[in-house]
Amino acid sequence: MPANLAVALLHYPVYNKHREVVTTAFTNLDIHDIARTCRTFGLSRYFLVTPSIEQQQLIQRIVTHWDSGWGADYNPDRREALSIVRSVQSLDDAIIDLQQSGQLPVSIIATGAANRSNTVSFVRLRQMLQDKERQYLLLLGTGWGLADELFEQADTILEPIQGVGTYNHLPVRSALAIMLDRLLGTY
Amino acid sequence: MPANLAVALLHYPVYNKHREVVTTAFTNLDIHDIARTCRTFGLSRYFLVTPSIEQQQLIQRIVTHWDSGWGADYNPDRREALSIVRSVQSLDDAIIDLQQSGQLPVSIIATGAANRSNTVSFVRLRQMLQDKERQYLLLLGTGWGLADELFEQADTILEPIQGVGTYNHLPVRSALAIMLDRLLGTY
């Protein structure tokens, strides 16, 4: 199991439609869809990052419902997916959790839909993941994408997913599924 | 643009948790997420199939809101994605729409998470899509998946997506994103 890759979905700092840095609200389906996709590809952690205490509590309440509440018996597959979810208040907290659980240094990978000059390809990152002496944390942005400061902070920037033609507006849930398949899938 | 591939999301006939054939309710995010993913990969049509008149009307109302209502100015990217959405009452109606718009014979491709004996691989189907004298319609099931009769009716059954390890419960939105990337993506 390639437990040296984890995902963080950031609700801050991200841009809104007017390129202002904001905190977005989480959506329920982002918990379930991304947890199931991450779990299918063998990831050990999926962090929902939000500085809002109320949002963290609400995420935790949903996870608990399916993890140990009524939903645990009703839908064990969902329980297993949600067992990898962690609600944290900052990217730093996610990194600390990973370092403590995996006992390995953590490399940060920023992602986005825009073209940038200093990106690595999916093929190259797939090779990098073979280094089992490191852990990798893939950052995804909500809203209109990760704030620039995260690209400056990242160790690696992943190339954007190109579709067919000029329209390129993948939902974050779909983009993540494609990323994990390119990085870990076999067919 | 590979307009010889289209997608149909079926809300009937599909299984529920107890393997009974049912009609499921559509979810709003299935309209938006799948439309954006299909549009990003250059597809010309995304059919939501449901025999329920009320559900068809509700889908149409949502599409109209973003296509020509208030939402069209607010979010032109969403408008463009939703322009390929069609709400139809049966798979046959989807096939008729495709035949009339594309003037080419339509081949049906069934998909599901279970292993079956007579599947074609993603690599093979990618080759088949090069035949521009045909159109291909990819069927995806909601609920617990497409009813067996659709696999009997299909011209082709696509191999399931395998993750890493034994857990394999991708959301339909994520599964479709991975399928289109494997069939049409380049990186």
Side-chain angles (χ1 to χ4, degrees):
Chain A
M1 183 176 292
N4 68 334
L5 181 64
V7 163
L9 182 69
L10 274 75
H11 298 81
Y12 175 89
V14 295
Y15 294 118
N16 68 4
K17 186 180 167 75
H18 307 292
R19 209 175 161 82
E20 299 154 340
V21 174
V22 295
T23 300
T24 58
F26 82 91
T27 64
N28 186 39
L29 212 63
D30 279 345
I31 304 180
H32 295 288
D33 267 29
I34 293 180
R36 288 167 70 180
T37 305
C38 287
R39 186 67 193 81
T40 295
F41 284 98
L43 273 57
S44 57
R45 282 284 189 278
Y46 162 39
F47 298 98
L48 285 130
V49 182
T50 175
S52 159
I53 301 293
E54 290 80 4
Q55 291 268 301
Q56 288 174 47
Q57 289 172 338
L58 187 51
I59 293 166
Q60 195 52 52
R61 193 172 144 200
I62 292 168
V63 170
T64 301
H65 172 81
W66 294 105
D67 188 40
S68 54
W70 175 84
D73 283 338
Y74 178 77
N75 195 333
D77 296 333
R78 186 169 292 182
R79 177 188 195 173
E80 185 172 347
L82 292 186
S83 68
I84 66 171
V85 173
R86 296 292 181 276
S87 172
V88 294
Q89 69 175 355
S90 68
L91 177 57
D92 285 346
D93 282 1
I95 294 169
I96 289 169
D97 177 292
L98 265 189
Q99 283 172 332
Q100 289 179 343
S101 61
Q103 302 289 326
L104 292 170
V106 177
S107 292
I108 304 298
I109 306 158
T111 69
N115 288 308
R116 292 168 187 269
S117 58
N118 49 345
T119 58
V120 303
S121 69
F122 280 97
V123 173
R124 174 66 188 129
L125 182 55
R126 190 176 172 115
Q127 293 166 342
M128 289 164 65
L129 293 180
Q130 299 306 311
D131 177 3
K132 303 299 184 189
E133 299 303 309
R134 298 198 72 81
Q135 298 179 89
Y136 294 86
L137 181 59
L138 199 63
L139 308 189
L140 287 107
T142 54
W144 269 250
L146 297 173
D148 280 343
E149 63 188 80
L150 292 164
F151 288 92
E152 288 158 21
Q153 187 186 339
D155 300 289
T156 302
I157 301 174
L158 182 59
E159 67 176 330
I161 297 167
Q162 301 288 353
V164 175
T166 55
Y167 185 93
N168 192 11
H169 298 280
L170 288 173
V172 67
R173 296 164 290 281
S174 304
L176 176 69
I178 293 170
M179 286 177 197
L180 294 188
D181 189 49
R182 290 184 179 185
L183 296 174
L184 302 170
T186 50
Y187 68 99
Chain B
M1 186 177 291
N4 68 335
L5 180 64
V7 163
L9 182 69
L10 275 74
H11 298 81
Y12 174 88
V14 295
Y15 294 119
N16 68 4
K17 185 181 169 74
H18 307 293
R19 207 174 163 82
E20 298 155 342
V21 173
V22 294
T23 300
T24 57
F26 82 91
T27 64
N28 185 40
L29 211 62
D30 278 345
I31 305 180
H32 296 287
D33 266 30
I34 294 180
R36 289 166 69 180
T37 304
C38 286
R39 186 68 194 80
T40 295
F41 283 98
L43 274 58
S44 57
R45 281 284 189 276
Y46 162 38
F47 299 98
L48 285 128
V49 182
T50 175
S52 159
I53 302 293
E54 291 81 4
Q55 291 268 301
Q56 288 174 50
Q57 289 172 339
L58 189 50
I59 293 168
Q60 195 51 55
R61 193 172 144 200
I62 292 169
V63 170
T64 302
H65 171 81
W66 294 106
D67 188 41
S68 54
W70 174 85
D73 283 339
Y74 178 75
N75 196 332
D77 296 331
R78 184 169 293 183
R79 178 188 195 172
E80 185 172 347
L82 292 185
S83 68
I84 66 171
V85 173
R86 297 292 181 276
S87 173
V88 295
Q89 70 177 357
S90 68
L91 177 55
D92 285 347
D93 281 1
I95 294 170
I96 289 168
D97 177 291
L98 265 190
Q99 283 171 334
Q100 289 180 342
S101 61
Q103 300 290 325
L104 291 170
V106 177
S107 293
I108 304 298
I109 306 157
T111 68
N115 288 308
R116 291 166 188 271
S117 58
N118 50 346
T119 59
V120 302
S121 68
F122 281 96
V123 173
R124 174 68 188 127
L125 182 56
R126 190 177 173 115
Q127 293 166 343
M128 289 164 64
L129 294 179
Q130 299 307 310
D131 176 4
K132 302 299 184 190
E133 299 303 310
R134 297 199 73 80
Q135 299 179 89
Y136 294 85
L137 180 60
L138 198 63
L139 309 189
L140 287 107
T142 55
W144 268 251
L146 297 173
D148 280 344
E149 63 187 82
L150 291 164
F151 288 94
E152 289 157 20
Q153 187 185 338
D155 300 288
T156 302
I157 301 174
L158 183 58
E159 67 176 330
I161 296 167
Q162 301 288 355
V164 175
T166 55
Y167 185 93
N168 193 10
H169 298 280
L170 288 173
V172 67
R173 296 164 290 281
S174 304
L176 175 69
I178 292 170
M179 287 176 195
L180 294 188
D181 189 49
R182 290 184 180 186
L183 295 174
L184 301 169
T186 50
Y187 68 98

